[in-house]
Amino acid sequence: MKNNRTNFPNLLIISLLIMLFSISNSSNLFAASGSGDEEKEEGSTDFIMHHIADDYQWHIVTIGHTHVTIPLPMIIYDHGELKFFMSSDFYDEHHEPIAHDGYMISHGKLVRAGAGHGESAGHETDDAHGAPTADDHEEAQADFLNLSITKNVASLFLSVFLMLITFLTIAKRYKSGVAAPKGLQSLFEPIIVFIRDDIAKTNIGEDKYQRFMPFLLTMFFFILYNNLLGLTPGAANLSGNIAVTLSLALFTFFITQFNGKKAYWGHIFATPGVPLPLRPIILVVEIIGIFTKPISLTLRLFASITAGHIVVLSIVGLGFILNSVAVGVVGTLFSVVITLIEILVAVIQAYVFTLFSSMYIGQAVDDGHH
Amino acid sequence: MEILLPDTGLFIFQSLAFLLLIFVLGKFAWKPILSGLKEREETIENALLSAEQAKSEMEALNADNAKLMAEARSERDAMLKEAMAAANTIKEEAKEETGKITAKMLEDAKAVIENEKRAALADVKTLVASLSLEITEKVLRKELSDKKAQESLVDEYVKDLNLN
């Protein structure tokens, strides 16, 4: 009974925040529902995709026709030249994309002005400052390096900052000699011990796990922090971005390959217990296996986090699409439940990614005594 | 489909930031945390072990103490018995000695008394002899003061001589 009472305000806050979410996207949806059936469907999934995808500005809330956004810096490396802009340079006062210095943001992508998508591009070129260049969109995209501090990069920096603060603060307590855990330390210490004892030691081995602890701990907490940050209303969807999960999986991949012992490579190139005629087939399978591991890591994290966001937003969006208050109320309540499940998923995915990473590393560093 | 294409810029930032995190946290957070944890675990284990050891030591000490107590008690008993025996013998000896000394002293005293008695008797004898001689002399002198008496005496002696 007591627990219920203490949880109630939290639930209320969560549902309020989720409602805030829906309000911030309402104009989008209303606009969509105004048009024809075909467009309506497209528009409603658009707002979800817009949330899932990266952005050049940090959109917090839309009240009526006022968009509350934080402009973010944009860095472009174009043919040996570094260019700095603010994302606000690319939008006019009505929040419509405009061309600036030869570039423009079209459908969430920075492209050369005049090379944009479809019908809007021609219109926008008129007020562009720079000259329009390539006609082919694919070509235009590839010929400069976009190092902008996008919403996801900003969120990445935020999570790095939060992690540094958290763990450097905790580390201070350990430096001052043996003492009982206190405060934030008591929250993280069991997790650290769990990763050490139940993930690293069991999968890598008692004598070799130490070297990989910094990697595994950083991995776990990075994913956990960003999964949870991703559930915060208005936040970016960093750990559900494939570039991020690919980068994380590649870390595991390279660490695994560089630490591969004789037994590991022997297992791949001359699998023990396999008759010679079958070996070429097994070799192909094993080599494919090396690469499926990082791919599965990449896709698992990306898919589960992105899917969670899509489910929550879809349920919230139902009320607006069906234009029904009842569906909206039920949908909001249901999305609260889904959000709670998402918190669980956030922890599980961080655990699973770390667990599989340590298993792959464990296979690589194994000496071959079975 | 767009969300399945990794963005180059984000990939670069992510990789750099993650590398930075691994190195900074690895050096300044995970290292002290893990070594601190290890140190604490060892401290706790050692403390538990030493507590266990202290307990068993205490038990051994207690057993030792009991043994020592028993030993001390029996030793005390033995000492008491011995002391009592010693005291008894000393008493007996003293008694015997005293008896002997008393007897000897008595004997000595008797001997001294005897000697004194003899000496006194001898003195008395000489005194009596000298007194009787004096008296005899005085008596003789008085009796032989005249010629006649002297002659009678001489006669008497001569008579005696003759008789012999």
Side-chain angles (χ1 to χ4, degrees), chain A residues 147 156 179 189 196 218 247, chain B residues 9 13-15 28 30 40-41:
Chain A
L147 291 172
L156 167 72
E189 195 182 293
R196 187 193 63 184
T218 311
S247 163
Chain B
F13 276 117
Q14 162 65 29
S15 305
F28 299 108
W30 305 133
R40 177 163 1 120
E41 276 160 8

Side-chain angles (χ1 to χ4, degrees), chain A residues 22-34:
Chain A
S22 32
I23 292 165
S24 69
N25 291 302
S26 59
S27 62
N28 213 341
L29 279 163
F30 280 137
S33 58

Side-chain angles (χ1 to χ4, degrees), chain A residues 135-157:
Chain A
D135 288 316
D136 191 3
H137 162 54
E138 296 298 323
E139 231 175 84
Q141 229 185 353
D143 81 336
F144 61 86
L145 183 60
N146 185 358
L147 291 172
S148 300
I149 309 299
T150 59
K151 189 179 172 185
N152 274 339
V153 177
S155 180
L156 167 72
F157 291 163

Side-chain angles (χ1 to χ4, degrees), chain A residues 73-368:
Chain A
M74 299 182 72
I75 304 159
I76 297 159
Y77 186 73
D78 195 352
H79 293 100
E81 198 183 344
L82 266 179
K83 293 177 182 172
F84 298 90
F85 308 108
M86 285 306 278
S87 65
S88 51
D89 294 339
F90 292 86
Y91 293 97
D92 62 13
E93 61 269 31
H94 304 299
H95 239 79
E96 294 297 324
I98 52 166
H100 178 77
D101 204 19
Y103 306 97
M104 68 174 292
I105 296 166
S106 167
H107 288 76
K109 280 267 166 202
L110 188 76
V111 292
R112 283 201 192 281
H117 302 265
E119 76 282 10
S120 65
H123 161 69
E124 296 296 337
T125 330
D126 298 337
D127 28 49
H129 301 290
T133 47
D135 288 316
D136 191 3
H137 162 54
E138 296 298 323
E139 231 175 84
Q141 229 185 353
D143 81 336
F144 61 86
L145 183 60
N146 185 358
L147 291 172
S148 300
I149 309 299
T150 59
K151 189 179 172 185
N152 274 339
V153 177
S155 180
L156 167 72
F157 291 163
L158 176 70
S159 67
V160 168
F161 176 70
L162 285 176
M163 278 182 79
L164 287 177
I165 285 199
T166 321
F167 296 109
L168 293 181
T169 312
I170 293 174
K172 243 184 251 163
R173 288 268 306 160
Y174 289 93
K175 281 179 193 156
S176 55
V178 176
K182 214 168 80 181
L184 205 58
Q185 192 191 6
S186 339
L187 174 67
F188 284 102
E189 195 182 293
I191 306 175
I192 295 170
V193 171
F194 174 76
I195 293 168
R196 187 193 63 184
D197 294 348
D198 291 284
I199 297 180
K201 269 188 196 170
T202 44
N203 291 307
I204 300 174
E206 196 82 37
D207 47 338
K208 298 190 200 89
Y209 79 95
Q210 266 130 332
R211 215 147 52 88
F212 303 103
M213 278 309 286
F215 169 68
L216 292 174
L217 285 168
T218 311
M219 177 70 89
F220 180 86
F221 285 111
F222 182 83
I223 298 171
L224 182 68
Y225 267 54
N226 282 296
N227 284 352
L228 293 175
L229 277 178
L231 290 174
T232 320
N237 172 31
L238 185 69
S239 52
N241 188 294
I242 199 149
V244 173
T245 59
L246 178 68
S247 163
L248 290 173
L250 285 178
F251 269 97
T252 302
F253 175 73
F254 285 121
I255 286 175
T256 310
Q257 307 318 318
F258 288 145
N259 286 292
K261 292 270 166 64
K262 218 174 131 191
Y264 172 72
W265 295 112
H267 204 274
I268 288 166
F269 290 112
T271 316
V274 175
L276 205 61
L278 280 176
R279 279 209 175 153
I281 303 164
I282 297 295
L283 177 66
V284 172
V285 172
E286 289 284 349
I287 286 172
I288 292 170
I290 297 175
F291 296 101
T292 50
K293 284 168 184 171
I295 292 170
S296 73
L297 282 179
T298 308
L299 292 181
R300 185 184 302 110
L301 183 59
F302 159 73
S304 45
I305 300 305
T306 301
H309 286 239
I310 290 174
V311 168
V312 170
L313 290 169
S314 304
I315 291 168
V316 171
L318 266 182
F320 295 99
I321 292 167
L322 299 176
N323 243 332
S324 152
V325 177
V327 173
V329 171
V330 173
T332 306
L333 289 175
F334 194 55
S335 69
V336 171
V337 176
I338 298 290
T339 306
L340 291 176
I341 294 172
E342 279 310 297
I343 293 171
L344 192 68
V345 170
V347 180
I348 291 172
Q349 286 306 321
Y351 165 66
V352 166
F353 201 108
T354 318
L355 178 73
F356 277 103
S357 293
S358 65
M359 273 167 64
Y360 299 154
I361 294 169
Q363 283 169 7
V365 298
D366 190 34
D367 285 328

